[in-house]
Amino acid sequence: MARNYTIGVDLGGTNLRVAAYLEGAEFLEVLNLPTRLAEGRDSVIADMREAIEALVARGFGRLTGIGVGTPGPLQLPEGILRNPPNLLGWDGFELRRSIESALGRRIELENDANLAALAECTLGAGKTYGCDSLCMLTLGTGVGSGLVLNGDIWSGFSGMGGEAGHVIVAPHKGVPCGCGGSGCLEQYASATAIVRMMRERSGGFESTTAHDVYMLAQGGNVHARSVFSDVGEALGITFTSLVNTLNLPLYLLGGGVCEALDLFAPNMYRVLHERSYIYRLTEPANPATSQRCTRIQQAELGPRAGLLGACLLPLRMQKSAVEAELSVR
Amino acid sequence: MARNYTIGVDLGGTNLRVAAYLEGAEFLEVLNLPTRLAEGRDSVIADMREAIEALVARGFGRLTGIGVGTPGPLQLPEGILRNPPNLLGWDGFELRRSIESALGRRIELENDANLAALAECTLGAGKTYGCDSLCMLTLGTGVGSGLVLNGDIWSGFSGMGGEAGHVIVAPHKGVPCGCGGSGCLEQYASATAIVRMMRERSGGFESTTAHDVYMLAQGGNVHARSVFSDVGEALGITFTSLVNTLNLPLYLLGGGVCEALDLFAPNMYRVLHERSYIYRLTEPANPATSQRCTRIQQAELGPRAGLLGACLLPLRMQKSAVEAELSVR
């Protein structure tokens, strides 16, 4: 019997990754290409098509669907990019139409951060802790975020849901954010923010990596330690608003900044405990609810989460179709 | 043929309202009683039982379920109250067990603010605007809030979801909140907060009602006007975080403070436009998305929304049971 497989595409600002995925198992093959933004949109779409066709030609079995993840903002269901900061010049690009017309078949399309959250929920931390709802924050160059509710991505009504990296943590005189707003979490908890905060506090700091700030903090540098204390506070404020609004069982932290978890976690938990009554009622230390508590954990799948989520997306759509059919009866 | 009806109970700190509701139509009868908190929990439950039995004795038709709304925090599915500020002394009370044992039958139980949101979604503003997902903020003595996603209440994993009145809008030196935290929306947008802010700004203000602050603002009082400007800012900050995280099509404002909508709305929309890129991409004024936009509207059902939601709750549970049965096939 032919095996069922899907193909997933992770379209990033730097890398274009395309994988074949055996349903319920693992990657069959992963192709890594550069995203040739300088060559124009058509070249990128052509590269994507060629990689997909190369995988199809392997004869892995029966291809049941193609999922594509892209940086947002992405307007769904139309599949139109809206001024995406990581795909400069692609504003208004009809990504779905372009890919579907190149391939001659339908695809499933989603924001890449939502796909990473879906993969974590299905195959990562969600599986580990038995939770089918979670919010994932990826602390990298920016702060990506995705939301999964009852096992399915919460895309929002127009595809733009799950952007918790832009919860406001500094209402007044907030640092301007790449999103056009100010005072967003991203400006206080991303690797970029960590470097900026360190420079503001310590005149001599000339490195450009958050890892160097981490090493200084590990060595006892007071400024570096205060930076991570503030990262913890910003995350504590954000989680307070998320926990009180959503009462999810699981919140995940991913991305490179997590190497400093031991430095920012104490302040994060302190703020959350002090300010969120829902957290106090459900925290692991509360004996009344320790069996069923609010957890904050590290993501488990690492950088491949987005690509895995793209591979899972067609399976999710098939499930929805079955449910929709049943509910019509 | 016997008509199907449900019974709904709205257990408040002051009033106990019990209604019979004809499915898909209107209230058949509403009983209004005082909530005799001073007499103890058993008296309140006994009053509830008597009112329900009186309605059943009317012979309206076939009773298909009983829904009960209560102030939170409410731990679900157990139905245990957790230190509810509006039912002092009821901490740890097993509300579900107590009511079910008094009635000798199962009930459906929910947080009252979530029920008001369910009613608005099903019969109020959600119906008007064709939206099956919304977040509702009720600006009264406190700020109540409920969340409905895809037509169903989002209770959270332990029943405590939807508390957007406790999104943090003042991270630093925030006003202490009744929830035990500080800087929550409730301290900047409730009727209580409006009176407090007016007193802080104007030594001579001795009234205890937000309506009086509103009348002063209407008359041009600078302090009163600045209070409502700050209410708008706090709502704008909150909506920014909600819109960016959830990308819902509809946000509702209810409660007495809405009489001042014309005073606080301009600042609310200004902040939201400036700080939420998701809002800018989906606001009604954006021609690209005006057909399918993010709306902020007034709630339509008024104070009866909570009682209506309690009447609708058993119908929602029946629907879920049918779906669960189908998904097992």
Side-chain angles (χ1 to χ4, degrees):
Chain A
M1 195 180 100
R3 298 179 301 180
N4 286 348
Y5 77 104
T6 61
I7 287 179
V9 177
D10 186 11
L11 168 62
T14 309
N15 297 304
L16 173 64
R17 295 182 298 167
V18 185
Y21 175 80
L22 186 63
E23 285 183 24
E26 248 305 336
F27 289 132
L28 294 162
E29 185 168 345
V30 179
L31 302 177
N32 283 291
L33 308 165
T35 307
R36 299 190 300 150
L37 288 181
E39 314 293 314
R41 304 164 182 178
D42 291 346
S43 298
V44 176
I45 302 299
D47 288 349
M48 191 188 296
R49 193 198 65 232
E50 276 177 38
I52 290 171
E53 287 174 351
L55 289 177
V56 169
R58 299 280 194 284
F60 290 125
R62 194 173 74 91
L63 175 62
T64 58
I66 298 175
V68 177
T70 171
L74 173 71
Q75 182 180 318
L76 291 175
E78 298 85 352
I80 300 172
L81 290 167
R82 293 290 175 203
N83 210 11
N86 293 323
L87 293 173
L88 284 177
W90 290 44
D91 183 30
F93 184 43
E94 299 195 34
L95 186 60
R96 180 193 293 284
R97 191 147 81 176
S98 173
I99 299 175
E100 292 188 343
S101 122
L103 294 177
R105 62 175 291 166
R106 274 191 59 85
I107 59 160
E108 308 303 336
L109 190 59
E110 251 299 341
N111 179 295
D112 52 10
N114 285 341
L115 290 175
L118 176 67
E120 283 288 346
C121 190
T122 309
L123 301 172
K127 193 175 172 190
T128 303
Y129 297 101
C131 298
D132 69 351
S133 297
L134 60 80
C135 181
M136 175 170 165
L137 296 176
T138 303
L139 312 179
T141 309
V143 176
S145 172
L147 189 57
V148 175
L149 303 178
N150 293 338
D152 203 359
I153 292 170
W154 181 258
S155 294
F157 83 94
S158 64
M160 300 167 189
E163 294 297 332
H166 300 276
V167 165
I168 292 188
V169 301
H172 301 291
K173 301 182 186 167
V175 173
C177 184
C179 75
S182 60
C184 301
L185 173 67
E186 180 162 294
Q187 295 309 315
Y188 300 89
S190 63
T192 315
I194 287 167
V195 171
R196 189 203 73 241
M197 291 191 284
M198 185 63 187
R199 287 185 175 170
E200 287 168 359
R201 289 163 208 208
S202 170
F205 186 73
E206 293 192 355
S207 161
T208 57
T209 75
H211 176 73
D212 286 343
V213 185
Y214 170 66
M215 294 308 291
L216 282 171
Q218 288 288 46
N221 181 294
V222 176
H223 298 303
R225 295 190 74 86
S226 82
V227 165
F228 285 105
S229 170
D230 286 359
V231 168
E233 174 148 351
L235 287 168
I237 297 285
T238 301
F239 280 132
T240 295
S241 293
L242 291 175
V243 167
N244 290 350
T245 306
L246 293 172
N247 184 215
L248 300 177
L250 187 59
Y251 302 84
L252 297 181
L253 291 171
V257 172
C258 282
E259 75 169 343
L261 189 68
D262 56 326
L263 291 176
F264 66 74
N267 217 20
M268 176 180 83
Y269 283 116
R270 181 188 61 74
V271 169
L272 183 54
H273 175 85
E274 284 178 10
R275 304 189 79 158
S276 170
Y277 68 112
I278 307 290
Y279 184 72
R280 286 196 301 278
L281 287 169
T282 59
E283 67 189 322
N286 184 335
T289 55
S290 57
Q291 295 302 306
R292 208 159 50 95
C293 60
T294 302
R295 291 177 203 274
I296 300 178
Q297 301 286 345
Q298 274 195 265
E300 296 180 1
L301 302 176
R304 70 197 177 113
L307 184 58
L308 259 177
C311 294
L312 294 173
L313 189 62
L315 304 174
R316 161 228 187 189
M317 304 309 282
Q318 288 158 21
K319 184 168 155 248
S320 303
V322 171
E323 285 170 357
E325 196 201 323
L326 283 168
S327 74
V328 169
R329 288 188 196 171
Chain B
M1 196 179 101
R3 299 178 300 181
N4 286 348
Y5 77 103
T6 62
I7 287 179
V9 177
D10 185 11
L11 167 62
T14 309
N15 296 304
L16 173 65
R17 295 182 300 166
V18 185
Y21 175 79
L22 186 62
E23 284 183 25
E26 249 303 339
F27 289 133
L28 293 162
E29 185 168 345
V30 178
L31 303 177
N32 282 292
L33 306 165
T35 306
R36 298 191 299 150
L37 288 180
E39 313 292 316
R41 304 163 181 179
D42 291 347
S43 297
V44 175
I45 302 299
D47 288 349
M48 191 188 296
R49 192 197 67 231
E50 276 178 37
I52 290 172
E53 288 174 350
L55 289 177
V56 169
R58 299 280 195 284
F60 290 123
R62 193 173 74 91
L63 176 62
T64 59
I66 298 174
V68 178
T70 171
L74 172 71
Q75 182 180 319
L76 291 175
E78 298 85 352
I80 300 172
L81 291 166
R82 294 289 175 204
N83 210 10
N86 294 322
L87 293 172
L88 284 177
W90 290 44
D91 182 30
F93 184 44
E94 298 194 35
L95 186 61
R96 179 192 294 285
R97 190 146 82 177
S98 173
I99 299 174
E100 291 187 343
S101 124
L103 293 176
R105 64 175 290 164
R106 274 189 58 86
I107 60 160
E108 308 304 336
L109 190 59
E110 250 299 342
N111 179 295
D112 51 9
N114 285 341
L115 290 175
L118 176 67
E120 283 289 346
C121 190
T122 311
L123 302 172
K127 193 174 172 190
T128 304
Y129 297 101
C131 299
D132 68 351
S133 296
L134 60 81
C135 181
M136 175 172 165
L137 296 175
T138 302
L139 313 179
T141 309
V143 175
S145 173
L147 189 57
V148 176
L149 303 178
N150 292 338
D152 203 0
I153 292 170
W154 180 259
S155 294
F157 82 94
S158 63
M160 299 166 189
E163 295 297 332
H166 300 276
V167 165
I168 292 188
V169 301
H172 301 291
K173 300 182 187 167
V175 173
C177 184
C179 75
S182 60
C184 301
L185 173 67
E186 181 163 293
Q187 296 308 315
Y188 301 88
S190 63
T192 315
I194 287 166
V195 170
R196 188 203 75 242
M197 291 191 284
M198 186 61 188
R199 286 186 177 168
E200 287 167 359
R201 289 164 207 206
S202 170
F205 186 72
E206 293 191 354
S207 161
T208 57
T209 75
H211 176 72
D212 286 343
V213 185
Y214 171 66
M215 294 308 291
L216 283 170
Q218 287 288 47
N221 182 294
V222 176
H223 298 303
R225 295 189 76 87
S226 82
V227 165
F228 285 106
S229 171
D230 287 359
V231 168
E233 175 148 351
L235 287 168
I237 297 286
T238 301
F239 281 131
T240 295
S241 293
L242 291 175
V243 166
N244 289 351
T245 306
L246 293 171
N247 185 216
L248 301 177
L250 187 58
Y251 302 84
L252 297 181
L253 290 170
V257 171
C258 283
E259 75 170 342
L261 190 67
D262 56 327
L263 291 176
F264 66 73
N267 216 21
M268 176 180 83
Y269 283 116
R270 181 187 61 75
V271 169
L272 183 54
H273 175 85
E274 283 178 10
R275 304 191 78 160
S276 170
Y277 68 112
I278 307 290
Y279 184 72
R280 286 196 301 278
L281 287 169
T282 59
E283 67 190 321
N286 183 336
T289 54
S290 58
Q291 296 301 306
R292 209 160 49 96
C293 60
T294 301
R295 291 176 202 275
I296 300 179
Q297 301 287 344
Q298 273 195 267
E300 295 181 1
L301 301 176
R304 71 196 177 114
L307 184 58
L308 258 178
C311 294
L312 294 173
L313 188 61
L315 303 174
R316 161 226 186 189
M317 303 310 282
Q318 289 158 19
K319 184 167 155 248
S320 303
V322 170
E323 285 170 358
E325 197 202 321
L326 282 169
S327 74
V328 170
R329 289 188 195 170

